[in-house]
Amino acid sequence: MSSKQLNMVQAINSTLDMHMKEDDSIILLGEDIGKDGGVFRVTEGLQAKYGSDRVIDTPLVELGIVGMAIGMALSGLKPVPEIQFQDFIFTAFDQIVNQAAKMRYRSGGEYNVPMVLRTPYGGGIRGGLYHSQSGEAYFAHTAGLTVLSPSNPYDAKGLLTSAMKSKDPIIFLEPKRLYRSIKSDVPDEKYSIPIGKAALVHEGSKMTFVTYGSMVPTVVNTVTKHSIDADVIDLRTIMPYDGETILNSVKKTGKVIIVHEAPRTLGMGAEISAFIGERAVDYLMAPILRVCGPDIPFPYKLEEYYMPNEGRILKAINRVQEFR
Amino acid sequence: MSSKQLNMVQAINSTLDMHMKEDDSIILLGEDIGKDGGVFRVTEGLQAKYGSDRVIDTPLVELGIVGMAIGMALSGLKPVPEIQFQDFIFTAFDQIVNQAAKMRYRSGGEYNVPMVLRTPYGGGIRGGLYHSQSGEAYFAHTAGLTVLSPSNPYDAKGLLTSAMKSKDPIIFLEPKRLYRSIKSDVPDEKYSIPIGKAALVHEGSKMTFVTYGSMVPTVVNTVTKHSIDADVIDLRTIMPYDGETILNSVKKTGKVIIVHEAPRTLGMGAEISAFIGERAVDYLMAPILRVCGPDIPFPYKLEEYYMPNEGRILKAINRVQEFR
Amino acid sequence: MDEKEMFVKAYKAMALSRALDRKIVMAQRQGRVGFYTPTIGQEALQIGLSMALEKEDIVYQYYRDVPFMLHRGVPPETIIDQIMGNSSDIEKGRQMPSHFSSKKHNFMSIQSPVATNLPPATGAAYAIKYRKKNDIVVTTFGDGSTSTPDFHAAMNLAAVFDLPVVFLCENNKWAISLPVEKQTKVEIWKKADAYGMRGLKVDGNDLFTMYETSKKEVERVRKEKKPVLIEAVSYRIGPHSTSDDPNKYRTAEITDGSEKDPITIAEKKMIEHNYLTAEEIEKIKSDAKENIEKIFEEREKLPPPSPDTMFTDIYEKNNWIIDEEKEEIL
Amino acid sequence: MDEKEMFVKAYKAMALSRALDRKIVMAQRQGRVGFYTPTIGQEALQIGLSMALEKEDIVYQYYRDVPFMLHRGVPPETIIDQIMGNSSDIEKGRQMPSHFSSKKHNFMSIQSPVATNLPPATGAAYAIKYRKKNDIVVTTFGDGSTSTPDFHAAMNLAAVFDLPVVFLCENNKWAISLPVEKQTKVEIWKKADAYGMRGLKVDGNDLFTMYETSKKEVERVRKEKKPVLIEAVSYRIGPHSTSDDPNKYRTAEITDGSEKDPITIAEKKMIEHNYLTAEEIEKIKSDAKENIEKIFEEREKLPPPSPDTMFTDIYEKNNWIIDEEKEEIL
Ligand SMILES: Cc1ncc(C[n+]2csc(CCOP(=O)(O)OP(=O)(O)O)c2C)c(N)n1
Ligand SMILES: Cc1ncc(C[n+]2csc(CCOP(=O)(O)OP(=O)(O)O)c2C)c(N)n1
Ligand SMILES: [Mg+2]
Ligand SMILES: [Mg+2]
């Protein structure tokens, strides 16, 4: 089996390419994705290869991009809309929440919306308030949506392949901070990572980390560097999250730290914590801690204070270790 | 002190009237709020009294209603936009999340948006998918917003009065199910209920209910009817929620049930539960339970199955009672 | 089908939908129906356009399009089942009345947020063009809907990408309580100019005019693969919905409705063209009424959907969260 | 101020903003600045309009309006402080470069989501009208921004409520990589028709024309309390931003920039009108360059904001959640 060392941009690009080659119902649409190849170069070369009918440079209207994609999906195509930055998705929020997410239900199952909405999210590029947001909770709170986020190039390919097979709308969140910062060995052939299954990316017995997306390397590096005897769970699928894997680990370790970039209040950490508080309260040997972005807009100059880092994770480790 | 028996529609109407009389910077705007008096009659009579310059019938554009209100607020007026149903707010979501909520921060404090956005929310009128949503979590997850929801006419007046004094954007969620179903004694004069303070609407020692809005009467009635020895906390302010009152009660009772209509996953119950799991885990004598709307769109015909009711609350009570 | 047959069919659909409308409004007053948005006054413009369409054409309709649906072959039973939200409802009783769906007839599923059906309509048209098919897409909406973000997005996309879409604005002069003059300062058909799209106005109360215009426009859209905005001028004779009280905001501009009523106008012309006699017309009307009565009584007896239907169709397959919630609730 | 003084002031602002633009672009290449959206080519249209405004008029500007701000009296220090995000930045280093704010000069705070400044501009105009004041509101945006929902909402509201708003579309022909011909099928000024608003096109590269037109239009808006859409035609000479590589999507339509460069055009006219000599022009340019160099070196030395500034201004007063998070983080 041949494979290549790819970064996440390359992995997503080649995965899109692979699927488009096989299936002419796949249509990419978004701002600057064609000639320009996307502001992060994720779609580079695809318009040249598949034509401007299949890789569409759209006018500046997120609502239209998503709305149009919904109609394509309802008519048998497989649209892959891109929102240039997740921060700009809110002008299309009604189409996502009230149309795409509710179409199958409201039509009694007559209609469904197989669309893969891709968008870069999170901090790490000094983008300030409007090029750094992590809005996964808005989507995960919306019944009818499936929310994925890879933490490495290998998973990006596998998750995107699952997304392409889905018959329902997928919100595919790409942690832009990891676009080029890590490489992994990505097999040339097709493979998929099942939706709804987390990965145990580090094994241990004393505590459980639950994280995803951009924070996975941060957590794993911290745990490795300080030889922490911990499970690290990479959710991969944010919604529906893998309750079983979380529960198995928590029952083993009794201690939980949840790490994400999104604001703490009503971020995914809230749901994971509540999930544990509902079914494993008698296994808990420490408070369930959340290490998250604070509940403030994302600042430009001081962004390193915003995103969870080694120091803050260590503080949380110390706090749960003190408990017994 | 004179007072009147009012329902919530009357209480809000008379509170708006009271403030408008005193302060000519208050401007109401929205669809059908003027001549028609609002589809729920909340603004009835106000256009006749204050003119169509102060009670504005707008074109059909939520994004414009909110956006225009933001500009009014920035120019020294006190706008009170109405969104006819909270379900329709998503077309204005970017203006709320990216503009109103972030204005003070992004301008370094130069600008702020004192606006009170009113909107009816929740089920109970057989409104189906698009006239029944409870979207409070979307707003509570957004730094910069303050989210209020009264559970009775008295609180409606007191909270609205606090909202009118706020220098920041308020999302004022009116549980439409309670608009006319309950009355309370509402004093004629002005009074305010502080933002961020919950009410203990039923006192007990064996378990703690945390709830708000439309579910308050349901929980209180269940607890009273079955003589449950429970604290019932009515949040009143959803964001920032009153952590202290919750914590005091939980430390006393050791058992918690959170009740709301909004979908369970990442609903306010998740945050409250996580909050408790973080700071009172050693007081807990039972799992933290959530009795919520399910993670599905809101159905029309079967709506009574969607909203938490006595039966489901009793089941939760039994579950926590079994634990010791 | 010759012209005569075609118009007779159209007239029958008008009569049927008027009978259905009357019945539902009455049933709502009697507490037998939860809610409804009357379609009275908008029959001619919908059916006139419908006459010009092919079966394969796709319609992204809105909540006031019962006449359109009936004419295009959706059985009254389907309409009533949706209104009742009963166990036979295609949508499984999930949506409020007036939010229909019928894939079989290429009608899409109706949402409440107004005009949000327009951007998806452009996507459907894109798919048609991409697949080199000959179908067109029709999307309908009211005058108030022209103020929405979705209208703007869809109009521009359809124009920029040369998509085969008929935008039918059913200008009934009101958006709940707001008269169209306060909605916008220009005539609606002129808005097409802002997008480089063809736009025109037509008397939506006259079935014959509406059909002639639609036929020409539909042909053009089909051939040239370019969109058009048709403003069909009409009047909302009834209230906005059964929850609405128009006395709050408008005086009775139409005294008895007979003057502008599209059915009255159609009847005159049907007789003029010798398509129908006055007796035949009376018969069609009374048949329609009887038919609707019968169907309504019948469908009213159907039970509501069983509670477990509430927990399907959120996704292709339920996730564990929904399964768990279902178990807790049922 | 007489005409000459006025134009000299305008020309000086053009020269200053060009010098600043060059400096920041260079500094970005050297890694001394994080990001920037060059304004080269759009000086005349912004300053021409600015010349026609009063101090009290309110501007809802967008990210490419540095010349506008400089002309209206915002010191280059303020601009550079924002770009550096230093401890003197009004916005406390919170926003990306190019997202300015200056209440003192009646400039609002700039957001990234394009055109979302437009609906608030209508609200500001409403406040003016409600308070019976004589000010007007200007809001600026690019050609790409005309496709957004916010453009549509704001245009219709301004028209319907007769609000004193100048909508200035800075048509630089590109929205990142999309040429304006693919953004929309019509000329932008014609979009005003869809709202019953006055619309016009003007050569945005000519300071003198731009001023004449603006003066007339601003007067009309102020007097009649009715909005106008001005399409100022120009060209984005530089890249979209310092992160953008235009070679990916456009060939060099402007060979050396000298032909359409608004500064070159202004200089010719300044000399023709005997407002400035060639020597004076050179002096203004070299002074501007020197001035900017000096200021930049100076401001670059300022420290970043202290970390605790990150935790203020979310609300008038922090709630307990933010206080707690602050403590955990700092
Ligand atoms: C986005 C949105 N805002 C508000 C409403 C509430 N509402 C329902 S219908 C309607 C008026 C629509 O008027 P128009 O488009 O003219 O259609 P008509 O009902 O007259 O046929 C309004 C305001 C809605 N459904 N969606
Ligand atoms: C809602 C939104 N979508 C996308 C972007 C990304 N973006 C930034 S500027 C820009 C192009 C804007 O073009 P135009 O309006 O013509 O202004 P110009 O930059 O040419 O001055 C885009 C797509 C954004 N900022 N906001
Ligand atoms: Mg109408
Ligand atoms: Mg441009």
Side-chain angles (χ1 to χ4, degrees), chain A:
Chain A
M1 287 195 315
S2 58
S3 68
K4 279 189 202 69
Q5 280 280 310
L6 300 179
N7 66 28
M8 199 184 283
V9 165
Q10 294 165 328
I12 297 170
N13 181 281
S14 64
T15 307
L16 290 170
D17 189 1
M18 180 184 77
H19 287 279
M20 291 183 80
K21 203 178 300 171
E22 282 178 6
D23 180 357
D24 74 353
S25 68
I26 297 171
I27 308 277
L28 275 47
L29 66 164
E31 293 156 17
D32 309 296
I33 67 163
K35 265 202 163 166
D36 194 34
V39 297
F40 288 103
R41 307 274 165 256
V42 175
T43 51
E44 189 142 78
L46 298 175
Q47 190 180 69
K49 202 156 170 183
Y50 297 104
S52 55
D53 275 10
R54 291 191 63 194
V55 181
I56 310 171
D57 280 315
T58 66
L60 209 173
V61 55
E62 284 72 16
L63 147 62
I65 293 168
V66 176
M68 199 166 162
I70 291 171
M72 288 175 173
L74 288 167
S75 281
L77 299 181
K78 180 82 192 179
V80 184
E82 174 184 297
I83 300 298
Q84 204 164 82
F85 285 86
Q86 183 250 280
D87 314 60
F88 306 144
I89 211 165
F90 301 118
T91 54
F93 205 57
D94 180 80
Q95 284 289 340
I96 296 171
V97 164
N98 272 337
Q99 292 264 56
K102 298 181 174 46
M103 188 65 74
R104 187 188 280 276
Y105 194 77
R106 81 181 195 213
S107 68
E110 284 214 314
Y111 294 110
N112 59 306
V113 180
M115 136 182 121
V116 181
L117 189 159
R118 295 181 37 249
T119 188
Y121 82 121
I125 62 153
R126 278 212 193 288
L129 283 84
Y130 299 111
H131 296 78
S132 311
Q133 295 176 35
S134 292
E136 60 272 23
Y138 294 113
F139 306 107
H141 182 54
T142 304
L145 299 179
T146 297
V147 186
L148 310 181
S149 186
S151 66
N152 61 69
Y154 179 90
D155 285 6
K157 176 166 179 171
L159 286 170
L160 186 53
T161 297
S162 289
M164 299 301 289
K165 287 188 288 195
S166 169
K167 299 278 191 292
D168 290 303
I170 303 278
I171 308 294
F172 194 81
L173 298 172
E174 302 172 0
K176 65 171 92 77
R177 189 192 196 182
L178 303 183
Y179 263 158
R180 293 171 186 280
S181 63
I182 44 169
K183 291 202 168 197
S184 50
D185 220 42
V186 179
D188 292 337
E189 80 273 20
K190 204 195 281 184
Y191 61 91
S192 58
I193 291 176
I195 291 173
K197 287 276 165 253
L200 196 61
V201 292
H202 189 277
E203 265 194 88
S205 62
K206 294 281 184 343
M207 66 185 71
T208 300
F209 280 91
V210 181
T211 185
Y212 55 89
S214 73
M215 284 296 122
V216 174
T218 310
V219 172
V220 171
N221 292 342
T222 303
V223 161
T224 311
K225 183 168 157 193
H226 298 274
S227 307
I228 307 298
D229 184 12
D231 271 358
V232 179
I233 295 171
D234 174 357
L235 286 181
R236 302 198 294 200
T237 295
I238 293 175
M239 183 69 204
Y241 60 93
D242 183 350
E244 200 183 327
T245 298
I246 296 170
L247 220 50
N248 287 340
S249 177
V250 173
K251 287 185 178 170
K252 178 176 69 176
T253 66
K255 297 183 175 185
V256 191
I257 300 172
I258 306 156
V259 184
H260 58 63
E261 251 187 80
R264 186 181 76 182
T265 299
L266 281 167
M268 270 311 286
E271 179 59 31
I272 306 293
S273 176
F275 168 80
I276 296 167
E278 233 154 38
R279 7 207 138 195
V281 85
D282 31 1
Y283 291 89
L284 287 177
M285 299 186 305
I288 304 174
L289 297 188
R290 292 181 285 172
V291 182
C292 307
D295 287 282
I296 67 173
F298 200 104
Y300 168 67
K301 198 67 180 186
L302 300 167
E303 84 168 351
E304 55 273 23
Y305 291 89
Y306 190 95
M307 289 180 295
N309 54 24
E310 188 182 321
R312 290 177 59 202
I313 294 168
L314 279 177
K315 258 204 267 181
I317 292 173
N318 288 338
R319 268 194 67 198
V320 302
Q321 278 176 339
E322 277 164 20
F323 255 82
R324 49 196 79 230

